Amino acid sequence: MDGNDRFGFFSALVLGVLLLLVGLLAMEYVVNNWWPIDINRLDLVRAAVEGRADAVSLLEAANFEIILVFLATVLTAVTGIALPIAYLLNRRFTAFTDRRFGRIESSRLMVALRQAMAAGVWVAFCLWLQMNRSFGLAVALLVAVVLILFEILMQIRSRTAQANLQQS
């Protein structure tokens, strides 16, 4: 690993740790200081504890802004965890990724950040499905396949753009 690669991995690691810390601190604040259910519907809290409340009635009383902020904190934390892993995987499999990936360090970090954010979106979406009590393995795999196909199309698009630049 040459010096440029070490700096790239170090920057991905530092950015990942910062995103993880921001996500966890924001998540801790949201969970401990904000109340996601309308205060006038405390009967639902008791019913949820006793197992009598269904997901529809809980979602009707939920404050959607707080739930969206919580899902955004989850997305940020998961992106921070996945960023160094995505960077290392992209560096390892550089023959199968974008041609300019091996030459431009910022491009490598941006591709890894995009892929890490896709992982964060997937986890946040699965968490939202679990909140609705409609999470299933088939839906989670389908969304993962769609995100992977989207990333493949982005790679094909960047390769085509690079080939067009080389021909010009």
Side-chain angles (χ1 to χ4, degrees), residues 7-21:
F7 177 71
F9 175 70
F10 182 71
S11 61
L13 184 65
V14 167
L15 183 59
V17 168
L18 286 175
L19 286 172
L20 177 65
L21 286 175

Side-chain angles (χ1 to χ4, degrees), residues 20-31:
L20 177 65
L21 286 175
V22 166
L24 289 177
L25 289 173
M27 190 183 312
E28 189 269 335
Y29 181 79
V30 168
V31 167

Side-chain angles (χ1 to χ4, degrees), residues 10-88:
F10 182 71
S11 61
L13 184 65
V14 167
L15 183 59
V17 168
L18 286 175
L19 286 172
L20 177 65
L21 286 175
V22 166
L24 289 177
L25 289 173
M27 190 183 312
E28 189 269 335
Y29 181 79
V30 168
V31 167
N32 289 330
N33 296 323
W34 292 355
W35 186 252
I37 304 292
D38 184 14
I39 197 70
N40 296 323
R41 300 293 313 265
L42 285 178
D43 57 319
L44 285 176
V45 175
R46 179 175 294 143
V49 170
E50 294 172 353
R52 295 183 292 121
D54 58 342
V56 175
S57 61
L58 286 171
L59 285 175
E60 286 176 357
N63 187 346
F64 287 110
E65 291 84 11
I66 294 175
I67 292 174
L68 287 176
V69 169
F70 175 73
L71 290 175
T73 61
V74 169
L75 184 141
T76 305
V78 171
T79 301
I81 291 171
L83 182 60
I85 298 167
Y87 183 86
L88 286 175

Side-chain angles (χ1 to χ4, degrees), residues 110-138:
M110 293 307 293
V111 170
L113 183 62
R114 182 180 69 219
Q115 293 168 350
M117 285 186 70
V121 166
W122 182 72
V123 169
F125 182 74
C126 289
L127 182 62
W128 178 71
L129 287 175
Q130 181 63 29
M131 285 179 182
N132 292 326
R133 303 231 169 101
S134 59
F135 177 75
L137 185 61

